[in-house]
Amino acid sequence: MRIQRIVARAFGPFGGSTLDLAPGMTVVAGPNESGKSSWHAALRLAITGVRRGKGPGTAAERALAERHKPWDQPDRWEVEARLALDDGRIIDITQDLASKVACRAIDVALGRDVSDEILDGTPDASRWLGLDRDSFASTVSVSQAQIMAVAGAAEELQEQMQRAAATHGADATAAEAIARLEQFRRDAVGADTVAAKGPLRTAKNRLAAAVAARDHATVAHADFLERAAQVDAAERAAHAARLRLAGAEAAAARMQAAEAAARAARAAELASRHPEPPATLAAGDELAARAAAAVDGYRNRPAPIELAGPTSAQIEAELAALPTAPAGDLRPHPTVVEAHRALALAGEAVRLIGDRPVQVPDPGTGWDAAALRDLAARLALPELPEAADLEAELAQLRRRHDRGVPALATFGGAALSLAVAAGLMLAGSAPFAAAAATLGAVLLIAGFVGVRGRQAAVETMRQAEASVDPYRRNRHAAEATRAAAVLQAQEAGLPQDPAALHALADRVAEAALQEEAAAKWDARRQESEAQRAAAHSSLLAALRERGEDLADDDDPAAAADAYVAACERRAEQARQADRAQGLRAQLEARLATEGAAAAARLRADQAATALRAVAQELGLSGADDDQLCAAVTQWRTERADAFRDSQQALAEWQQLQGLLDGGSLADLEADAARRRQRATELATGLPPDAVTLPMGVDVEEHLATLRHEAQRSEREHDLARGSLDAMRSALPDVAEAEEASESARRELERVQRQAATIDTTLGLLRAAQERVHRDLAPVLARAVERWLPVVSRGAYHEVSVDPASLRVIVKEAASGQWRDARLLSEGTREQIYLLLRVAMAEHLVVTGEHAPLILDEVTAQCDGERKRELLDVLHAVSAERQVILFTHDDEVATWAEAALVEPQDALVRLPRRSRATAAVPVEATREDETPLVPLTVD
């Protein structure tokens, strides 16, 4: 099976978008927010669809829908794919993921609906691979976060693994027998789950129902007896509530009778005390008010104020004698001070420069010192001696070489002698042959020795010539340099003695140094004079700004000294003038104090005068003002006592009128008698201790509560009695329920015995199934081992796979130790389990089809080198089955550009999309094409 294209009719951010795929390896590359995860999900769902069932689905299905339903049309969720099957058919499969109704698979060549071949509620094309939706997601469709999920799906993949083992020639009888026996167990026994409907669950449900009915009958009888006891208790509670209410009502009536008797007695007492209304005494007459004001005013009169210190007149005289504030600076201004300091520093700088240095005359040669010393050095070059010894040795070597015997003649004599020896030997003259051979050998040895000696002589002569040649070149160069220096000195009129030239160079250098020093002195003196002139002008300007009238030829230093002295005089005058503000404040405070003392004396005199006037009006006398104040106070106390007595009499009269309430004393006494009679009647027949009320409660509220409790108790008693009567008519038969539960128990034991027999048989068959796993394990291991050394760079070379749990262990090449793949580094672990998925996609598909691999970001944990090796492996796998890889990694895209070859392979780039363009239909394009608009986000 190969996927030729995928069309997202309405999927996530896409609307009418198409993704074309190559038959070999397709790399779909794009940055984040370009739609890779949406295309990955669309590929899987286009093939498998989603389950059709009632309810909202599983949490995973709900999460899938929430993530990939269209953004702008959530009610429309459609995806389509074109598949090329290995049997030659081209299939267009359409998945209506929202309503799960308009789903179909069409044979394009025949126009025939082939959905019934793969129908599982909705069309599931993974069935053409011999898989289902779950096993397809666990093996073929891989994302980075789900690479390890294959280990968690081992149990669900057992059916496919057993089918694969049978197809690959293993003993499939056990698997088939287990399947049939499990089917028989499902029919004859059934599952032991809550929702199961087989005989075992039916027997258990029947037993549970019978036990529940028996327990219900037993509990119902116990409940009936308990309800009867509750009815009796409710009846007793209602009687007690009625008794509490009657006792409280009797106690309340008794209390009301006592209150009525107390009111009648109080009314009789007040009537005897006040037969007539009491007279009213006015408490607020004018004389009493004036007496109170006079006493308060006298008591609160101000104390006399004692005055100390100079008087206001003395302060005014001292203030008049002070000078006025001066005009001008009180302290030297910073600009003047700074300019004065700058002028002094400039004058000191001029003084420190000293006298101008004396110059030495220049010899007038026109040459500088460095050129003269260079000419002296060239004139002083030493004469190199001739290499007489080396020249003589070289001549001797040449003569010796010329006198040497040619090696060619020596070798010719040796060859001639050896030829004569061979002829004599053939002629039978052995002694002469031996002599000729000996001579030939001696000549041959001499030839070799001569050749080696001549070669040594040539090498010695070459070394001698190499040693003599530098002496010759250096000697000739020194002679040429010295001759050129002599000619240059003659032409310039300079001495040819190197020592004289060095002395002349010293005089030229000294004259240059003195000239440079004089120039520096002139520059420093000119700069210092300019600074002193600038400081002179700055000081004059600063003094003029402070108001000093100066001419340009005035001495600014003396003017600055005079300005400083003037500032000091003004500062002293300002200090004297500053005292005026304090004296004014002191004068103001003294005037206020003298005014307050006069006002206090006036208020004290007025309070004493008012007190004397009130005392005279009241007819009181005293030796002084204090005694008059005490007499007026005593009069006010006696007047207040009389007013309180009048107020109390008026209050008692009003209380009497309130008790009578328009009636008479006889009416009150008659009402008290009636209440006593009522209390007696209510208490008749009640226990003495029942006629009582709690202390400190609101009587009416307490009575209302007791009435409510009595009514509630009556209702509860009536309800309990009615419920008991209804329960009596519906009581189940306990004996019949026990007999039914025993029958159900016997049926359950029969089914359980049958289940035990079947389970024992299944145990034996599963032992045979273990053999199937042992046959399948090497198949998976060999498939993983095919690529493991490549992706692990030789670190691991052997693999063992447990088909029951899909646990993988690998052998370390360096140590020979077996390692659990789940405990290795994250990158190595994911690559091993990715190879396991490739192996399962290869060996679990037993229908003759080749399952594609749909991979999302599976290289995320790889370093650069391992990433390229894994990509090479996937590329090699794509020769056998289609590989579709989604990635955001630029390195993967770069590899794809170099490694993939169209039309077998393809690189598709997905640019970043924005939500604003999410609903625009677009075509995802290959590397050599240009997209119309950006693709959408994940």
Side-chain angles (χ1 to χ4, degrees), residues 170-254:
D171 184 7
T173 304
E176 294 175 359
I178 289 172
R180 293 178 182 177
L181 194 55
E182 286 178 344
Q183 181 62 43
F184 175 73
R185 192 186 190 284
R186 286 193 291 272
D187 297 337
V189 179
D192 191 10
T193 60
V194 176
K197 298 181 180 179
L200 178 60
R201 174 48 57 182
T202 301
K204 284 190 173 183
N205 291 342
R206 179 184 171 191
L207 176 60
V211 171
R214 182 197 63 192
D215 295 343
H216 173 69
T218 304
V219 171
H221 276 274
D223 191 27
F224 177 78
L225 296 177
E226 184 179 355
R227 290 290 182 89
Q230 290 176 356
V231 169
D232 294 340
E235 185 176 1
R236 290 192 297 273
H239 176 72
R242 289 193 298 271
L243 181 62
R244 285 195 299 273
L245 177 60
E249 289 177 342
R254 185 179 292 173

Side-chain angles (χ1 to χ4, degrees), residues 181-508:
L181 194 55
E182 286 178 344
Q183 181 62 43
F184 175 73
R185 192 186 190 284
R186 286 193 291 272
D187 297 337
V189 179
D192 191 10
T193 60
V194 176
K197 298 181 180 179
L200 178 60
R201 174 48 57 182
T202 301
K204 284 190 173 183
N205 291 342
R206 179 184 171 191
L207 176 60
V211 171
R214 182 197 63 192
D215 295 343
H216 173 69
T218 304
V219 171
H221 276 274
D223 191 27
F224 177 78
L225 296 177
E226 184 179 355
R227 290 290 182 89
Q230 290 176 356
V231 169
D232 294 340
E235 185 176 1
R236 290 192 297 273
H239 176 72
R242 289 193 298 271
L243 181 62
R244 285 195 299 273
L245 177 60
E249 289 177 342
R254 185 179 292 173
M255 183 179 65
Q256 292 170 358
E259 291 175 351
R263 286 196 300 272
R266 178 62 175 169
E269 178 186 358
L270 294 176
S272 63
R273 192 180 300 169
H274 303 288
E276 298 294 336
T280 301
L281 179 63
D285 56 5
E286 182 183 355
L287 181 59
R290 284 193 284 109
V295 170
D296 291 342
Y298 183 75
R299 287 177 176 173
N300 295 325
R301 69 188 184 278
I305 299 175
E306 298 293 335
L307 298 175
T311 64
S312 58
Q314 292 173 339
I315 295 173
E316 287 177 348
E318 185 177 359
L319 184 61
L322 291 177
T324 60
D329 293 340
L330 302 182
R331 62 171 57 89
H333 196 269
T335 58
V336 176
V337 174
E338 182 63 24
H340 193 191
R341 186 180 68 82
L343 180 60
L345 291 176
E348 182 64 16
V350 171
R351 186 185 66 79
L352 291 176
I353 290 176
D355 297 333
R356 192 175 189 276
V358 178
Q359 287 187 249
V360 176
D362 188 346
T365 62
W367 287 53
D368 58 16
L372 292 172
R373 289 192 175 92
D374 177 67
L375 180 60
R378 285 184 283 130
L379 289 172
L381 286 175
E383 292 185 5
L384 293 178
E386 294 184 357
D389 295 338
L390 289 176
E391 293 285 359
E393 182 180 355
L394 180 59
Q396 184 179 1
L397 287 172
R398 286 173 179 164
R399 289 192 298 271
R400 188 181 304 164
H401 177 268
D402 294 338
R403 289 197 304 268
V405 179
L408 183 60
T410 305
F411 283 122
L416 180 61
S417 298
L418 291 174
V420 171
L424 292 175
M425 182 63 69
L426 292 175
S429 181
F432 294 104
T438 301
L439 177 60
V442 170
L443 291 174
L444 184 62
I445 293 172
F448 279 114
V449 171
V451 169
R452 295 190 62 182
R454 187 176 181 83
Q455 291 176 346
V458 171
E459 178 63 21
T460 303
M461 185 172 60
R462 186 188 62 79
Q463 293 178 356
E465 289 178 348
S467 299
V468 170
D469 187 62
Y471 281 94
R472 294 171 178 168
R473 288 198 304 271
N474 292 337
R475 183 169 176 272
H476 294 159
E479 290 175 352
T481 301
R482 191 166 46 253
V486 170
L487 179 61
Q488 189 177 11
Q490 291 174 351
E491 292 177 351
L494 296 174
Q496 298 179 14
D497 182 15
L501 284 175
H502 280 294
L504 181 60
D506 291 339
R507 292 197 301 275
V508 170

Side-chain angles (χ1 to χ4, degrees), residues 528-576:
S528 298
E529 291 291 348
Q531 290 176 352
R532 183 166 63 177
H536 183 279
S537 300
S538 297
L539 181 56
L540 285 177
L543 290 171
R544 288 167 179 165
E545 286 181 359
R546 308 316 304 164
E548 299 294 327
D549 186 13
L550 297 173
D552 292 340
D553 55 351
D554 288 343
D555 183 5
D561 294 338
Y563 166 75
V564 171
C567 288
E568 292 176 354
R569 290 193 299 273
R570 285 192 294 270
E572 178 61 27
Q573 182 180 348
R575 283 193 292 273
Q576 293 296 325

Side-chain angles (χ1 to χ4, degrees), residues 116-127:
D116 56 345
E117 295 182 15
I118 55 171
L119 199 60
D120 184 16
T122 59
D124 178 9
S126 67
R127 295 170 69 87

Side-chain angles (χ1 to χ4, degrees), residues 9 27 99 150 250 272 279 327 407 415 474 481 526 548 569 605 609 621 628 660 689 711 729 737 767 835 890 901 917:
R9 299 294 183 195
V27 174
S99 62
V150 66
S272 63
N474 292 337
T481 301
Q526 183 178 0
E548 299 294 327
R569 290 193 299 273
D605 293 343
T609 301
S621 61
L628 286 177
L660 294 176
D689 58 348
Q711 293 172 359
S729 62
L835 294 179
D890 292 338
V901 179
T917 63

